[in-house]
Amino acid sequence: MREPLRADMFDELCPSALNPVRFGDKWAALIIRCLEDGPRRFSELRVPLGRITPKVLTHSLRSLERDGLLTRTVLNGTTTVRVEYELTALGRSMLEPMAIACAWVAEHWEQLLDAREAYDRAIRFDRAAAALPAGRRAAAPIG
Amino acid sequence: MREPLRADMFDELCPSALNPVRFGDKWAALIIRCLEDGPRRFSELRVPLGRITPKVLTHSLRSLERDGLLTRTVLNGTTTVRVEYELTALGRSMLEPMAIACAWVAEHWEQLLDAREAYDRAIRFDRAAAALPAGRRAAAPIG
DNA sequence: CGGTATCCACAAGGATACTG
DNA sequence: CAGTATCCTTGTGGATACCG
């Protein structure tokens, strides 16, 4: 027989597996991919990230910096301020697993949407049936 | 020169890349791995998931079912009720990218923790320095 | 056994406006 | 240019108790 699941099954994993790390972050995956070809500036990153607000972008970048995935460098020109964000070796090592995850999503996104739609339709049908008197379920609608 | 980042860079990806999918879910990765070797029952899943509450487990399972990643089957015995959860083909296709992601985390978890610790130490130092009078920063501590 | 129901805390994310 | 500041909404997860 198949072995039962053990209580310490995930003990060697970090707590909650992927969640505390950047796989679960809404923007992190995108930011990391933006930095794939080299350092980028703050305002440069805002372009592909659509309608991300500066607050959220700052927070995401700080969080990635804290985890050692990228570095933040302030370049002082005489009049302007430049800040560049660049992947560390640790950050680079994440590119491949991230790309694989993104590829899976891209490949199966349609299937996922279809499944959701079908599920929601079934739920609506069930609820409609439950709202009818017991003997009348699946009967022809009267109006 | 390196190309600028385009605004439509992520248009072919699903909105927010990984987030709406199960990579970002706290429990989904673990649940999916629990089902790797075949169908499991509700109470069976509670064991390796530590202190997950039934409400949260139910919600996670429903969400995965909705996305077409697993199926829920009620097996009516005469006196007992069995419910089994089993991966679909779509769910199975996620095992590999998920394993790769988990492997990355497991492999670099220590580095991440170290980076966080170092970052937090630096922040605390900076804040302490900022709290001193301007001329005294980085001076010897007095007591 | 396999869940619901209810209430709650916290954090992520967003809208909007302002700053060194 | 590269952010802060403030306020707010939502969602995720948890605690506890109860149900068919």
Side-chain angles (χ1 to χ4, degrees):
Chain A
M1 183 198 169
R2 210 161 23 110
E3 292 155 32
L5 300 175
R6 288 165 44 198
D8 61 355
M9 176 173 176
F10 294 121
D11 279 4
E12 80 274 16
L13 255 62
C14 63
S16 309
L18 300 179
N19 196 51
V21 197
R22 313 283 108 229
F23 283 93
D25 187 296
K26 178 170 184 178
W27 298 105
L30 302 184
I31 291 173
I32 287 178
R33 297 193 70 155
C34 288
L35 297 177
E36 189 163 1
D37 296 328
R40 299 283 184 181
R41 303 173 63 179
F42 188 85
S43 46
E44 220 174 339
L45 289 172
R46 296 185 67 173
V47 176
L49 298 181
R51 306 176 58 76
I52 193 172
T53 64
K55 186 197 104 172
V56 174
L57 179 54
T58 300
H59 182 264
S60 295
L61 288 168
R62 289 282 191 283
S63 182
L64 291 166
E65 187 192 3
R66 178 171 181 257
D67 283 353
L69 297 170
L70 55 78
T71 57
R72 176 177 181 272
T73 312
V74 181
L75 307 166
N76 264 313
T78 47
T79 58
T80 60
V81 180
R82 289 178 64 100
V83 177
E84 282 193 344
Y85 295 91
E86 184 170 17
L87 289 182
T88 62
L90 186 57
R92 294 214 153 269
S93 76
M94 210 176 171
L95 280 172
E96 200 180 320
M98 199 69 101
I100 291 173
C102 286
W104 185 91
V105 174
E107 199 173 331
H108 300 89
W109 184 238
E110 287 297 328
Q111 272 186 75
L112 268 148
L113 287 184
D114 290 349
R116 285 182 191 181
E117 216 178 306
Y119 185 89
D120 292 347
R121 257 201 312 274
I123 291 291
R124 272 200 300 277
F125 177 80
D126 288 350
R127 276 217 269 267
L132 288 173
R136 297 278 298 282
R137 296 194 189 154
I142 303 268
Chain B
M1 183 198 170
R2 208 160 25 108
E3 291 154 32
L5 300 175
R6 289 165 43 199
D8 61 357
M9 177 173 176
F10 294 121
D11 279 4
E12 79 275 14
L13 255 61
C14 64
S16 309
L18 299 179
N19 196 51
V21 198
R22 314 282 107 231
F23 284 94
D25 186 297
K26 178 170 182 180
W27 298 104
L30 302 185
I31 291 174
I32 287 177
R33 297 194 69 156
C34 286
L35 297 178
E36 189 163 1
D37 297 328
R40 300 282 184 180
R41 303 173 63 180
F42 188 85
S43 46
E44 222 175 339
L45 290 171
R46 295 185 68 173
V47 177
L49 298 180
R51 304 176 60 76
I52 193 173
T53 64
K55 187 197 104 173
V56 174
L57 179 54
T58 299
H59 182 264
S60 295
L61 288 168
R62 288 283 190 283
S63 181
L64 291 166
E65 187 191 1
R66 178 172 181 255
D67 283 353
L69 297 170
L70 55 78
T71 58
R72 175 177 181 273
T73 312
V74 181
L75 306 167
N76 264 313
T78 48
T79 58
T80 60
V81 180
R82 289 178 66 101
V83 178
E84 283 193 342
Y85 296 91
E86 183 169 17
L87 290 181
T88 62
L90 186 57
R92 294 216 153 267
S93 76
M94 209 177 172
L95 280 171
E96 199 179 322
M98 199 69 102
I100 292 173
C102 285
W104 184 92
V105 173
E107 198 173 333
H108 300 89
W109 183 238
E110 286 297 327
Q111 271 186 76
L112 268 148
L113 287 184
D114 290 349
R116 285 183 190 180
E117 215 178 306
Y119 184 90
D120 292 346
R121 258 202 311 276
I123 292 291
R124 272 199 299 279
F125 177 81
D126 288 353
R127 275 218 270 267
L132 288 173
R136 297 277 297 283
R137 298 198 186 156
I142 302 270

